[in-house]
Every structure is written in C-alpha cells, then in structure tokens.
Amino acid sequence: MNKPQQSEKQQNNRTVPELVADIEALTNEIQELYCLDAIPWVIGYSGGKDSTTVLQLVWNAIAALPLEKRTKAIHVITTDTLVENPIVSAWINNSLKQMKIAAQEQQMPVEPHLLYPEVKDTFWVCLIGKGYPAPRNRFRWCTERLKITPANRFIREMVRASGEVILVLGMRKAESNKRASVMAKHAKGRVRDRLNPRASLINSLIYTPIEDWRNDEVWIYLNQWPNPWGNSNKDLFTMYRGATADNECPLVIDTSTPSCGDSRFGCWVCTMVNKDRSMEAMIQNDEEKEWMQPLLDIRNELDLYDDRDRRDFRRIYGKVELFERNVKGEISVEPIPGPYTKQWREHWLRRVLEAQTKIRRSGPEEMSNITLITEEELSEIRRIWLEEKHEFDDSLPHIYQQVTGEIFKDSRPGADNRLLGSDEWQVLEEICGDDAMHLELMAKLLDTERQYRTMSRRIGLNEALEKCFNTSSRSKEEAIENAHFKRDLKHAASEGDVQTIQLTLKAAATSISSALPEEQVKAEESSAKPLPQTGEKVEGKEKVCKVKGNDEGLTKQEITTPEQQTWANRKFPAHSKEGR
C-alpha cells in the first residue's frame, strides 16, 4: 500500500522500465487493497483508454490471486446516455458482453452493469418533450441527468447493501489543469493511502491508480499488455486514431512529442464544445462512416448561439423574467428566453426520426436497427405535449407516421383515449386566427377542464384555470410590458423612490382606462365620488392603496378612479382595502 510517491518532474521524465516498475508496484497495491476488507469495488468504465487501462490493471492483479481470495465483488458500471456516439456505443456494448463471458470462464468476481437515465431525464425527453434548449455552460442540464444520477443511484444502492463502497476511476492529472487541481484538492482529505472521500456520496471512497500517468504511458500499457477479457486494444487505438483530425499517431520519443489518443468521445448531440471534432474526423477519415453525417448535421443545427427566435418569451413555468443584456456595450433589458416553441419541438422530433430512418435504410448493416430515440421516450414526449403543455392536436403520431411510414404504437395505458384531438384543434385555430396567445389560452382552458372531468371532487380546478389565465391571457407585448412595469416598481420601492412609484402607478392606471370603452370611462368619471385625504376614514376603512416603501414605514398613494382601485387591489392585495 505504501507506493513511493514521485515528484511531478520525475513523472514527466519517467522511462519505460520505470513505468514497468510502477505497474508491478500498482499490481501489489491493488491486491493488498482488495484483500484488506470486504468493501465492494465499483469501477467506472466508459470504454475509453483510461477506464480500459484501470480495469485491465485491476483484472490482471486480481487474476493473479488464488481463487479463495477472489471473494469480493467488482462491479463494472457503464452509463449509456442514449445519445452516445454510435461507434463508441457499439464498442462498449460488445465489451460488456465479452467481459461477462470472460469473467465466468476465468472465475473472476467481475460483474458488468449497463445503466441508463430514467425516461423522464433523457436528452430527447428534456429537449423535445419539455423544450429545454440545447445545453450551455449557464444551463448545463444534461450531465447530471444523463450520467451522474444513474451512476450515483447504483452506488447508493451498493452503500445501502454493504455500508461502504470503493470507486475505482481512471482519472489522470495530465488530462487537464482543472482535473489536476480538483484531484489535488481531494487528495488533501484522504482517509487512507490513495483513497479519497467523495463529498457527494456518503460512505464512498475514490481510488485513482493511474492518476500520475501520462497519455503516452496509457497507450504503451494498452499496446504491450493484452486485454484480459478478449477485447482488442489495437482496435481501440485505431478508433482513437480515426477520431483524430489528421488520422495519424506519431512515434512518441519524448514528452514534447504529441501522442495519439487526445480525442474525446461523448454524446453526439453535445453542444458544450464548439465542434464535435471526433465525429468530424471519423466521417472525414473513413468513407464507411459517412452514414454519421445526418447526426453531425443535427448537432450543428442545435448548436446555435442566438436561438431566441426558436424559444418562448416566457420561462418554462409561464412567467416573463427580465435580464440585462450587454451587446457590444449597449445594455438592454429583455425577457429571458424560455423553452423551445411548439413549432421547434416538432421540428427536432422530425429531424431525429428522419436521421434514424435514413441510417436504418441506407447505413451499414450493423446499424440497420440503430435507435436514436426510443419508443419509451416517444411515449413520454407525447404525454408531456398532451398533459402538461395541453397540445391536444396530438401531433407526435402524425409526425412519426409521415417520417417512418409506420403507425406509432404507444405502450402507455389509455394513451389513445381522448375527448379532444386534431379536429377540435383545427376549429380553435380557425376561431383564433393569428392570435397565438388566444389559441394557447383556449387550448389550456379546454384541456384543463377535460383533465378534471372524471374526478368525483374536482378540487384544484379553479386554481388550475387561474394558472392558465396567469400564463396565457396576455399577448406577448402586454406580458413583456407588464414584466417591465413590475421590475421598475420593485426597483423604485427598494430605493424608496416614492415619486417614481406614483408616476408608475398613474401610468398604469391611464393605460387601463384607455383600454376601456369611451362611454364606460365617461360614465365612471361622472359617478366617481371625491376620495378622502390620506388617513381619512370612510365607514371605518381607509380607501387608499398602501405601497411598501422604505424602512420608516409605508408611503400612501391616492387612487383617483375605480379602475385604479381595482388595479391596485389586484397588484398589491396585502396592502389594499380588501387585503387588510
């Protein structure tokens, strides 16, 4: 367990004989750590060079132990995000199958597990179903849902069963400066030699045996030591080389020479990088991989920096929220764009189904059954569109049949039992014309009523209907104007600016009055009674609207028309006549 630590300079200048000595020391370290206790091991395996190296080191070390000492389970977990690069996905699936067979033949305590995200968290359910925009640094919603959560769920189950778990990972400091700093930070909290605690998972320790290895040392090991579960490391090397722009791996003679295998494989839809260089290189270097072009086209179409015209002007919960946007020094206050609109969600569904159909029909034989979007995902997307977004035109089955030529069969019980459909939607479109918000409001009200119709006690219906009005009763322009009004009023109140509050309220009241019929305004003005001065009581009640101001107390704003009183009661219920 007490493996001698080398300085960073020694590691960078390490020779091949020194690497061999390090591998022997690691073998002993792995054996000692494995036999030390009954804590099960979980190895994170992605099919890449680093995780393959770690698994191979552990496999060879444990295989050298006598059978009576191979008592502790070693779980190998791989998370399939369902949007992995198809070449890598096929490689991993084949690896796990070979691993399972080899473990049984060699009497190894290795158990491979292929994990998946929950249907509600998959990439296409979030993007096409809910309308989440393509992931960005400020809204990186994918990694947690697709990768971290499935793995953590498995690890927590192991902790519940065994009390503790050791995670064996292929993390290396040489991968990036950020990775090196994170690993150095974790190393300070080590509870045992080479074992770091993991803050996000209770009773989990991390073991990183190749943390000090260079990139070229990883490839030296993989090319010189055969894969114990029957995979070809040379094929892995070829796959990495094919994902390198110049399709070339130079002979490594010193640390200044760039080595092969710097490519990173990941999700083919990833927009967290500027370009998917590995997929581009695969297509460029191999004519047999040109079938992947439709995937690259979708990924590039998703990767649009300014996609505001594709997205709703409200957040996903229906509220307009503003932010200060700085474009070349010019600051403007604009709505934060929300989810993709109905039109664009349907567009992405069509594009994915078109790519899947094209590859199945004209791609290589091994990809004749490729699945870019699963039946379970399609069913969940349809449910979200129907039940959460109230889009009862039910466009998914129509799009599916148009693109694939097949009838969509929904496995969800009662999915096709509907009172409203495309015919009713068409009637609404004719009635509402070009008024998109009117169409949305009517659709929400009708479908909300439908959802409550079978309940014996329709508790919550009024609140649900009110929510429909709150999110969809205003036009886009009116909703944005109202958000600006609230923002200005809130800012003035926080600054104690009474004059601005008064002007803002009067402007709003004037706007309300101007929207009323002229005859009604004249009638209400003629019948209006003079209002009392501040603090004056009428029938025991103050007929003024109190607006929250500075710390000294409440400022008072007189109301000049019944419409202003009604508006104030609605905007400030806690300080109005009815709210007291």
Side-chain angles (χ1 to χ4, degrees):
M1 285 293 293
N2 296 320
K3 179 175 172 286
Q5 298 295 312
Q6 294 179 312
S7 67
E8 185 176 346
K9 184 176 181 180
Q10 289 175 321
Q11 293 159 7
N12 290 336
N13 296 325
R14 189 163 57 181
T15 63
V16 172
E18 290 173 336
L19 173 62
V20 173
D22 186 56
I23 291 171
E24 293 175 355
L26 271 176
T27 299
N28 293 329
E29 178 180 280
I30 290 169
Q31 290 173 340
E32 292 178 16
L33 186 61
Y34 177 83
C35 298
L36 190 62
D37 49 46
I39 302 174
W41 284 17
V42 175
I43 301 179
Y45 177 71
S46 67
K49 63 184 189 303
D50 295 333
S51 62
T52 300
T53 297
V54 166
L55 179 55
Q56 190 166 307
L57 281 168
V58 172
W59 190 299
N60 289 333
I62 304 307
L65 292 173
L67 284 175
E68 61 270 16
K69 290 190 176 182
R70 303 181 201 172
T71 57
K72 188 163 64 176
I74 299 175
H75 301 277
V76 179
I77 62 173
T78 298
T79 301
D80 185 353
T81 63
L82 300 178
V83 282
E84 297 290 334
N85 181 305
I87 301 295
V88 179
S89 180
W91 169 269
I92 293 173
N93 289 335
N94 185 59
S95 298
L96 294 179
K97 291 176 183 177
Q98 289 184 272
M99 207 179 294
K100 188 173 183 179
I101 295 172
Q104 293 174 348
E105 292 176 348
Q106 301 174 30
Q107 295 182 281
M108 289 289 293
V110 175
E111 302 176 19
H113 306 268
L114 187 57
L115 311 178
Y116 298 94
E118 294 186 53
V119 174
K120 66 181 180 66
D121 290 332
T122 66
F123 185 86
W124 295 125
V125 167
C126 288
L127 188 139
I128 298 177
K130 301 173 184 177
Y132 285 7
R136 299 292 178 194
N137 284 323
R138 292 188 177 183
F139 189 35
R140 189 172 183 168
W141 52 264
C142 52
T143 306
E144 181 78 23
R145 290 174 169 84
L146 304 184
K147 294 184 177 181
I148 297 175
T149 299
N152 286 356
R153 186 167 56 244
F154 180 89
I155 293 167
R156 289 191 180 98
E157 289 174 358
M158 295 300 304
V159 170
R160 280 195 291 268
S162 306
E164 200 170 5
V165 69
I166 292 177
L167 307 177
V168 188
L169 305 176
M171 294 165 53
R172 293 185 300 113
K173 297 174 184 175
E175 288 181 85
S176 66
N177 292 331
K178 182 179 180 181
R179 175 61 59 87
S181 62
V182 170
M183 293 180 71
K185 179 181 177 181
H186 288 166
K188 295 178 181 179
R190 285 183 172 172
V191 294
R192 280 195 256 166
D193 289 343
R194 307 276 283 179
L195 296 180
N196 305 330
R198 186 170 183 175
S200 60
L201 289 171
I202 299 175
N203 293 346
S204 300
L205 298 172
I206 298 178
Y207 176 40
T208 52
I210 63 168
E211 59 184 18
D212 297 321
W213 284 30
R214 301 190 308 267
N215 198 51
D216 60 299
E217 291 177 326
V218 170
W219 284 118
I220 290 173
Y221 174 73
L222 291 176
N223 285 316
Q224 296 301 318
W225 276 260
N227 188 292
W229 59 88
N231 252 16
S232 171
N233 288 341
K234 294 189 183 301
D235 288 346
L236 178 64
F237 182 81
T238 302
M239 186 168 66
Y240 268 88
R241 185 178 63 185
T244 305
D246 55 7
N247 195 26
E248 185 176 319
C249 291
L251 175 65
V252 178
I253 55 175
D254 56 36
T255 56
S256 64
T257 307
S259 106
C260 176
D262 281 330
S263 300
R264 287 182 175 273
F265 298 107
C267 303
W268 64 266
V269 292
C270 184
T271 51
M272 297 300 298
V273 292
N274 292 330
K275 288 185 178 181
D276 189 340
R277 300 186 185 280
S278 62
M279 184 177 286
E280 286 182 351
M282 283 183 172
I283 296 171
Q284 173 187 329
N285 297 330
D286 191 347
E287 291 183 359
E288 294 183 357
K289 293 186 174 63
E290 289 182 356
W291 59 267
M292 299 172 68
Q293 187 63 48
L295 307 186
L296 187 60
D297 292 341
I298 292 175
R299 183 257 163 220
N300 291 340
E301 190 179 350
L302 278 169
D303 190 18
L304 183 65
Y305 178 74
D306 188 1
D307 59 357
R308 303 166 72 84
D309 61 326
R310 300 176 175 181
R311 296 163 63 182
D312 201 321
F313 65 94
R314 299 157 296 180
R315 305 304 296 274
I316 200 166
Y317 39 83
K319 183 179 179 181
V320 177
E321 291 187 359
L322 306 175
F323 77 111
E324 290 188 356
R325 190 184 187 198
N326 190 332
V327 180
K328 297 180 181 180
E330 294 186 8
I331 298 177
S332 59
V333 179
E334 300 179 15
I336 300 174
Y340 287 126
T341 62
K342 183 177 188 291
Q343 173 190 350
W344 279 98
R345 285 184 277 110
E346 292 174 345
H347 171 79
W348 296 129
L349 174 63
R350 191 180 298 276
R351 295 284 283 116
V352 174
L353 289 174
E354 287 172 347
Q356 177 175 281
T357 303
K358 183 176 181 179
I359 295 171
R360 285 181 176 181
R361 292 174 180 173
S362 58
E365 185 178 353
E366 62 270 19
M367 292 296 165
S368 59
N369 292 319
I370 188 173
T371 301
L372 301 181
I373 184 167
T374 67
E375 297 293 329
E376 292 78 13
E377 288 178 289
L378 289 169
S379 177
E380 178 63 9
I381 290 169
R382 185 189 187 195
R383 186 199 66 79
I384 292 172
W385 286 5
L386 286 171
E387 298 184 6
E388 296 182 15
K389 296 188 178 295
H390 306 286
E391 295 166 355
F392 56 77
D393 59 327
D394 198 16
S395 59
L396 187 143
H398 302 294
I399 294 173
Y400 185 88
Q401 187 170 6
Q402 287 173 359
V403 175
T404 66
E406 302 173 359
I407 296 175
F408 177 66
K409 298 178 181 179
D410 200 331
S411 58
R412 187 164 53 92
D416 295 318
N417 299 333
R418 295 176 292 108
L419 291 177
L420 301 172
S422 56
D423 292 341
E424 288 78 12
W425 187 274
Q426 187 175 355
V427 171
L428 272 186
E429 285 183 322
E430 293 174 0
I431 295 173
C432 299
D434 296 331
D435 193 339
M437 294 306 298
H438 189 197
L439 172 63
E440 179 181 294
L441 176 60
M442 293 300 102
K444 283 184 175 182
L445 292 174
L446 286 171
D447 197 58
T448 299
E449 171 64 25
R450 177 199 61 78
Q451 291 179 3
Y452 280 85
R453 65 179 290 274
T454 58
M455 297 182 182
S456 57
R457 297 183 62 193
R458 305 203 295 176
I459 298 175
L461 174 59
N462 290 338
E463 290 78 4
L465 293 174
E466 184 177 358
K467 183 179 178 181
C468 297
F469 282 105
N470 290 339
T471 59
S472 306
S473 61
R474 293 185 178 93
S475 67
K476 177 179 178 179
E477 294 73 19
E478 290 172 339
I480 294 174
E481 183 181 353
N482 183 60
H484 277 279
F485 167 76
K486 289 182 177 180
R487 182 180 185 273
D488 295 341
L489 196 61
K490 183 178 180 181
H491 178 73
S494 65
E495 297 292 328
D497 189 347
V498 178
Q499 185 177 1
T500 300
I501 293 174
Q502 292 174 339
L503 293 174
T504 305
L505 289 175
K506 287 182 179 179
T510 302
S511 176
I512 294 173
S513 298
S514 63
L516 295 173
E518 184 177 353
E519 295 78 6
Q520 182 178 346
V521 173
K522 290 180 179 178
E524 289 175 345
E525 287 178 349
S526 62
S527 61
K529 297 178 181 179
L531 289 174
Q533 297 298 317
T534 300
E536 182 182 345
K537 303 286 183 175
V538 177
E539 298 180 358
K541 295 182 180 179
E542 291 185 73
K543 290 196 174 182
V544 293
C545 173
K546 295 184 177 179
V547 181
K548 192 171 183 180
N550 52 33
D551 295 336
E552 282 74 23
L554 295 173
T555 61
K556 299 182 179 181
Q557 170 64 35
E558 293 187 15
I559 305 302
T560 58
T561 69
E563 288 75 25
Q564 287 178 321
Q565 181 67 64
T566 302
W567 181 89
N569 291 342
R570 186 173 73 252
K571 293 295 181 183
F572 306 100
H575 305 294
S576 65
K577 178 181 67 176
E578 286 81 354
R580 288 195 298 272

